[in-house]
Amino acid sequence: MSEEKLIFEKSAPGRRAATFPALDVPAFAGDAWLPKDARRMAPLGLPEVSEQDLVRHYTRLSQRNIGIDTQIYPLGSCTMKYNPKVNEDLSGRDGFRNIHPLQPDDTVQGALQVLWEMEHWLSEISGMPAICLQPSAGAQGELTALLVCKAYHDSRGRRPRKVLVPDSSHGTNPASAAYCGYTVETVKSRADGTVDLEDLKPRITEDVACLMMTNPNTVGIFEKDIKLIAGWLHAVDAQLYYDGANLNAICGVARPGDMGCDMMHFNVHKTFSTPHGGGGPGAGPIGVKEHLRPFLPVPRVRRKSDGSFSLDAHEAHSIGRVRHFTGNFGILLRGLIYLRSFGGDGLSEIAKRAVLNANYLLALLKDRFYAPYGDRCMHEFVLSVSPQKKQKDVGATDFAKRLADYGYHAPTIYFPLIVPEALMLEPVETEAKETLDELAAILRKIDAEDPALLHAAPVNTPVGRLDEVGAARNPVLRWKPVL
Amino acid sequence: MPSPSDRLFTKTHEWIKIEGATASVGLTEFAVHAIKDIVFIELPRVGRALEAGKPFGVVESVKAVFDLNAPLAGTVAAVNGGVEADFTPLASDPYGAGWLLRLTHVTGDQSALMDGAAYDRFCAQEHH
Amino acid sequence: MTVSAPRNTTREAFGMPFEHPYLPQTPSDIGAMLNVIGVGEIADLFQTIPADLRLKGTLDLPDHLTEMELKEEFQALGALNDSTGRLDSYLGAGAYEHYSPSAVRHLLGRSEFYTSYTPYQPEMTQGVLQALFEYQSCICALTGMDVSNASLYEGGHALAEACLMARAKTGRNRMVLSAGVHPESLQVLRTYTRNLDTEIIVAPLGADGRTDLGAVRALLDSGTAAFVMANPNFFGTIEDAGPFAEAVHAAGALFIMAVEPVSLALLKSPGESGADIACGEGQSLGIPLSYGGPYLGFLAAKMELVRQIPGRICGQTRDSRGQRAFVLTLQTREQHIRREKANSNICTNQTLLALAATIYLGAVGPQGLKEVAGQGAAKAHYLADALTKIGGVKLSTTAPWFNEFTLDLGVDAVGVLKTMQSKGILAGLPLSRYFPGRDREILVAVTEVKKKAKLDRFVAELREALECRKKN
């Protein structure tokens, strides 16, 4: 049995893991300060544990988990690169950790300089003159940029209603467009994975607000016609949006701003090494061209003539704000420290090594696995195990689960949707050659194994395959005390 | 098993059985088989007016969502509430106990729909 | 301190200018890999990028720093900030200075947690999944609701998503919000609904500082999707939610409460108040101030709204061996499956902060949370009592309040705050920051960390600052 009790199940009345000094001001005389009908009556329902039990419980839970620090995560489109420890140390220091977001500007000059410098770095990397660091994640960055786009068209008295999205796009693209009040139209991909220009061109009408593209796209191929596409869009005053999820392939080598893109988001938790935290936090700053700058969220970071920094909430045409305060500062700070460890002189090495690693891993696998988009890729590539599914009834899920038995986290499976039984691999630049050799060897080994082993997998993990159908049909979404 | 000959089929795998002024609507065996494990069904309220070809509800598996589309226009007269709670009849008897809706005031172009044999040919093609 | 100027860098060569600890490939590795791939140099792999798109020339960026140099650089930057260790801060307004037990930081430093990805492969990630299940359980317990998601970005985002949930559930477009809702949350909601044909109405507060029930009743109609109230509200006042729930439900709308999690130890919960959705900012639960983020948005609701809930949800199930296990469930609500029909576009959330909050709640437990809440309230009232004894200084509201209060200084607040700052005290937030015209008032928050001596010093310094003002 490998169950771990819930913290509630380890609770015993009267235990504490944190105590506080006695109250040093007079206690309330009666209840007048908090009238009876404003008081909580229900029990709090929180666990009561000692500090040892608390620490042991979550330490043991961590041991039932994995991270980049324990193994490679070849997840396509996630850019699971090493999370530097110096970033954790520096961002955890008192001067960054213990500052309130509403402090007067003159008491947080260091924080404002961090934001200013990060804006500068992102601007240089992207070729976008105007940066907003506020969005909390890539999806929120997409939404923010689309809101800016809408405000721009409104200011010109135009009301295009459509956003075009490739059929290979990440789900957040159409979801963000819908949140912005746009209707979404899907553009086909060619057999080589790139946007089908013949399908795209007739769709670009004056009713199109924006085309959202990822470059390289989600199958790892560079969209070389992007400038041509930008020209078509600009002819009808439509905007070109760049989804920055795959920026790792071109960072320091090419810039979205030079490709004709009008706006983009960055995934700081992908390209710029900040830890994924089990699903978050991240940060999704956006960059835009000058004509869109007036509409960016407030507040903006300003630098005064004396060199000092301030936050300015007054921007007549701003779309407003998408969150409280200025953004996920702790994450942006980590991203800046990472960038400064590479410098302008080392920046392009990231993309070069990422693309090298991906092409190497592809070369190790392509004789055995079907690679629908050929021998070359950028920083990630897609394989399809559709042949294996047909021959031996082993699909992408089975490969993923069997990899777990060998201690590997699976690549991205079933994405992008245009590739059946997809395995998308991104062996980031922080992985050594030996790690890639081992991963390739294991994938080849699994491919040769008895299908029964794959169907039964995983057997070496704390739990086996889960009843996801039961979980959805009869949702149990919280612990309840047994009465 | 060949699809029943007493009803018509859509390209999106719904069936409609017209009996005078009313009709029953459901999902085909092919669809139910393809979805595998159903986890959720959402059906419209009685009284709702449906448009031919437009979605009136959803069927979900763990990893996917499928729109249920009206084969013809009509008004929802009855809904198989039992199936919303327990999917077994839908999986085991999609043409009988697994019915989803009863419609009245059914209108629209029936020639756009397929009979059982044409639907079977359509499925055979789609499968490849 | 200025942004360093770039030194000379060469960009033409594709050779590595220096060794880097995060790049393991040696020249020998690179040679072997290029050989296997079948190209002569790395540049060959970038040929698909048209020449006119490849970067030429240098970027205006400083050269790299080694770890020792990074430490020096960023320690200096950090030193330019006056932390709560250096300044005695009474700032609140949605972010609060609480004591976070050491265990929280240590456990969060387990790299199997923080370097982990979203638990889409649940067999290897039961640690994060179980922690999220515990988090959801804690949020449900605190708020008195049936189901919680696994986090949203922060409090403002949570409020916006709660309103959009109500819009989706009711099919109506009108939102009524109390003027006591955090002004930044209201801004977020306005931005989020800019293009969604939504009407936003703000209901005024009464003279005592609580939301005016009569005014809200008059604003509720058959087109209202939701009424939103904060408790405590932005100005610190404790609201009486019950009568509002009745009125809102009679109009067929949803009742949304934005709440402060520590206060829930003592204040009536949203569940007890008849709310349909509870949302708020979870930063108070062991999460550092960190200049505004990363924080923690929480959202919980009645079970009948589960299919409208945005974001990830963790559920309990069994594995193939019959063991209890946890898995992300009800994913068909989310963007990766539903795309443009998803409940929300959210993907990355704030999982690690949800973990922090769960560990904090386990550390303090029910008794500890009551103490944190009770001590903050007692110290705040002690301070307010003393301050209002200063001539010309009074509370702006008369209704009961929790641990944050609005003080009318009788004179222009900004100048007084500057004087206090020169004495090492950030005495509060000037209301004029959000409410033009309210120039004499400040918002003051007090938590369990404030020793009596500090509070007494605050009183003495404010008295002196105001007396100086009178003389001048």
Side-chain angles (χ1 to χ4, degrees), chain A residues 39-43, chain C residues 142-145 242 264 267-275:
Chain A
R39 277 187 188 266
R40 183 189 186 97
M41 291 303 166
Chain C
L142 276 181
T143 58
M145 308 307 286
L264 292 176
L267 298 191
K268 201 176 201 175
S269 67
E272 289 169 307
S273 306

Side-chain angles (χ1 to χ4, degrees), chain A residues 227-292:
Chain A
K227 245 179 150 174
L228 175 67
I229 293 170
W232 292 345
L233 291 162
H234 294 151
V236 293
D237 196 31
Q239 306 296 294
L240 179 57
Y241 179 85
Y242 176 87
D243 180 325
N246 289 339
L247 189 62
N248 211 47
I250 62 167
C251 185
V253 173
R255 307 196 305 176
D258 300 334
M259 296 174 198
C261 298
D262 302 289
M263 41 190 197
M264 68 173 286
H265 82 268
F266 305 83
N267 294 87
V268 178
H269 47 293
K270 296 185 181 184
T271 322
F272 305 125
S273 88
T274 69
H276 278 72
I286 61 168
V288 301
K289 291 279 170 73
E290 276 305 336
H291 62 285
L292 299 172

Side-chain angles (χ1 to χ4, degrees), chain A residues 128 132 135 137-153 163 176-177 180 182 209-210 212 239-243 262-266 284-288 292 295-297 319 322, chain C residues 191 195 345:
Chain A
M128 299 296 198
C132 170
Q140 198 176 52
E142 289 173 23
L143 174 63
T144 307
L146 288 172
L147 290 171
V148 163
C149 173
K150 179 86 173 43
Y152 164 73
H153 285 132
V163 167
S176 302
C180 199
Y182 288 116
C210 164
M212 301 178 81
Q239 306 296 294
L240 179 57
Y241 179 85
Y242 176 87
D243 180 325
D262 302 289
M263 41 190 197
M264 68 173 286
H265 82 268
F266 305 83
I286 61 168
V288 301
L292 299 172
F295 310 100
L296 286 175
I319 57 167
V322 293
Chain C
T191 302
N195 305 312
N345 66 342

Side-chain angles (χ1 to χ4, degrees), chain A residues 167-455:
Chain A
D167 54 11
S168 59
S169 77
H170 194 276
T172 52
N173 288 176
S176 302
Y179 245 32
C180 199
Y182 288 116
T183 56
V184 175
E185 201 172 287
T186 307
V187 182
K188 292 193 180 60
S189 302
R190 289 186 280 230
D192 72 353
T194 56
V195 167
D196 184 343
L197 296 181
E198 276 165 28
D199 187 61
L200 174 62
K201 188 140 203 262
R203 295 183 192 271
I204 300 178
T205 65
E206 285 193 3
D207 200 26
V208 167
C210 164
L211 166 68
M212 301 178 81
M213 282 183 74
T214 315
N215 198 10
N217 60 28
T218 58
V219 300
I221 306 291
F222 191 84
E223 296 272 6
K224 56 181 175 28
D225 296 314
I226 189 164
K227 245 179 150 174
L228 175 67
I229 293 170
W232 292 345
L233 291 162
H234 294 151
V236 293
D237 196 31
Q239 306 296 294
L240 179 57
Y241 179 85
Y242 176 87
D243 180 325
N246 289 339
L247 189 62
N248 211 47
I250 62 167
C251 185
V253 173
R255 307 196 305 176
D258 300 334
M259 296 174 198
C261 298
D262 302 289
M263 41 190 197
M264 68 173 286
H265 82 268
F266 305 83
N267 294 87
V268 178
H269 47 293
K270 296 185 181 184
T271 322
F272 305 125
S273 88
T274 69
H276 278 72
I286 61 168
V288 301
K289 291 279 170 73
E290 276 305 336
H291 62 285
L292 299 172
R293 184 198 289 265
F295 310 100
L296 286 175
V298 286
R300 313 270 175 93
V301 184
R302 302 254 185 256
R303 189 166 201 190
K304 300 192 268 201
S305 50
D306 63 359
S308 69
F309 300 97
S310 68
L311 282 180
D312 184 2
H314 301 102
E315 269 302 324
H317 303 286
S318 167
I319 57 167
R321 53 166 67 244
V322 293
R323 59 161 292 153
H324 283 199
F325 314 131
T326 50
N328 276 349
F329 175 78
I331 304 305
L332 297 164
L333 170 59
R334 286 168 169 85
L336 178 64
I337 300 169
Y338 169 81
L339 285 168
R340 296 220 55 192
S341 82
F342 278 91
D345 53 332
L347 193 64
S348 62
E349 284 308 310
I350 299 168
K352 285 183 286 192
R353 307 294 177 100
V355 170
L356 173 68
N357 270 5
N359 278 277
Y360 178 64
L361 186 61
L362 175 57
L364 293 178
L365 294 169
K366 67 176 167 46
D367 63 314
R368 192 162 182 128
F369 289 87
Y370 172 44
Y373 301 104
D375 288 354
R376 291 281 176 270
C377 61
M378 295 220 72
H379 69 312
E380 65 186 10
F381 61 94
V382 184
L383 301 174
S384 169
V385 292
S386 219
Q388 287 88 336
K389 180 76 178 167
K390 288 199 174 83
Q391 285 156 28
K392 302 184 280 182
D393 194 31
V394 291
T397 302
D398 301 307
F399 273 89
K401 302 307 179 190
R402 189 61 179 154
L403 273 166
D405 277 337
Y406 291 100
Y408 285 88
H409 191 283
T412 302
I413 54 174
Y414 299 109
F415 180 81
L417 301 172
I418 54 172
V419 179
E421 302 296 336
L423 296 174
M424 183 162 54
L425 291 104
E426 183 182 351
V428 294
E429 76 283 0
T430 54
E431 300 295 343
K433 178 177 172 298
E434 293 83 354
T435 310
L436 306 187
D437 292 336
E438 286 159 13
L439 175 60
I442 287 298
L443 277 166
R444 299 172 76 95
K445 179 174 182 196
I446 292 173
D447 189 48
E449 280 182 331
D450 180 349
L453 288 172
L454 280 73
H455 291 140

Side-chain angles (χ1 to χ4, degrees), chain B residues 33-98:
Chain B
H33 183 75
I35 297 171
K36 273 192 258 230
D37 294 304
I38 297 173
V39 302
F40 179 72
I41 298 178
E42 190 173 62
L43 297 174
R45 283 184 212 132
V46 168
R48 176 150 153 218
L50 304 187
E51 267 182 72
K54 292 272 161 74
F56 64 81
V58 290
V59 171
E60 293 181 7
S61 67
V62 169
K63 292 272 194 274
V65 179
F66 307 92
D67 282 334
L68 296 166
N69 301 303
L72 295 170
T75 308
V76 178
V79 168
N80 190 347
V83 154
E84 269 181 311
D86 176 11
F87 321 118
T88 330
L90 181 54
S92 61
D93 188 14
Y95 296 115

